[in-house]
Amino acid sequence: MTAKTAISTPDAPAPAHTFHQGVRKGPFVQVSGQGPTDPATGEYVHLGDVAAQTTRTLENVRAIVEAGGAMFDDVVMLRVYLLEREDFAPMNEAYGEFVTKHCPSGVLPSRTTVFVGLPREEMLVEIDALAITD
């Protein structure tokens, strides 16, 4: 039986509540929901700009995936939580640029996008991920 281990990296924001940035068990790396927070300052960034927030959020996700011993190209599923339906197009454009750049295999992760209320007023987007390593 493979042990479940917490993932922690200074290259992504520290969690604000009672959960880890991510968890690894065997080949599975699950990243907790990330937002547009600068890991160096702990501040929310790019207020009002969903495209820039999407990129910052995906950078945080990537840092945790890598801290868990995987590569972003190992991500098989991303879930995107958006505050506003009007933000879908700019989020999707920034998302597409990021995942295409960081998936050299050319096989992009599956994705679900839902419209929700988010935990912080500054957040326009939150993203979590599941990666599977060899």
Side-chain angles (χ1 to χ4, degrees):
M1 196 95 178
T2 305
K4 181 170 73 168
T5 58
I7 301 169
S8 180
T9 177
D11 296 327
H17 302 288
T18 55
F19 56 87
H20 296 288
Q21 291 169 317
V23 174
R24 180 171 182 144
K25 183 163 174 71
F28 299 96
V29 176
Q30 177 66 55
V31 176
S32 295
Q34 296 298 304
T37 306
D38 181 327
T41 65
E43 300 294 322
Y44 286 86
V45 294
H46 310 299
L47 303 182
D49 183 345
V50 72
Q53 283 197 0
T54 298
T55 300
R56 173 74 259 171
T57 299
L58 286 166
E59 288 169 352
N60 294 339
V61 167
R62 182 172 60 93
I64 297 166
V65 165
E66 290 175 356
M71 297 174 55
F72 193 83
D73 207 16
D74 295 321
V75 173
V76 296
M77 179 65 180
L78 290 159
R79 282 170 290 273
V80 177
Y81 306 92
L82 277 178
L83 186 62
E84 302 290 338
R85 187 173 303 278
E86 308 78 63
D87 287 339
F88 182 82
M91 174 283 297
N92 198 46
E93 184 175 337
Y95 173 97
E97 288 175 16
F98 189 95
V99 297
T100 300
K101 177 180 178 182
H102 292 94
C103 292
S105 69
V107 180
L108 304 181
S110 297
R111 185 181 89 191
T112 297
T113 303
V114 294
F115 301 96
V116 299
L118 293 170
R120 292 288 302 252
E121 182 178 317
E122 302 91 341
M123 295 174 73
L124 301 175
V125 63
E126 182 175 6
I127 301 173
D128 67 18
L130 174 65
I132 304 173
T133 63
D134 292 335

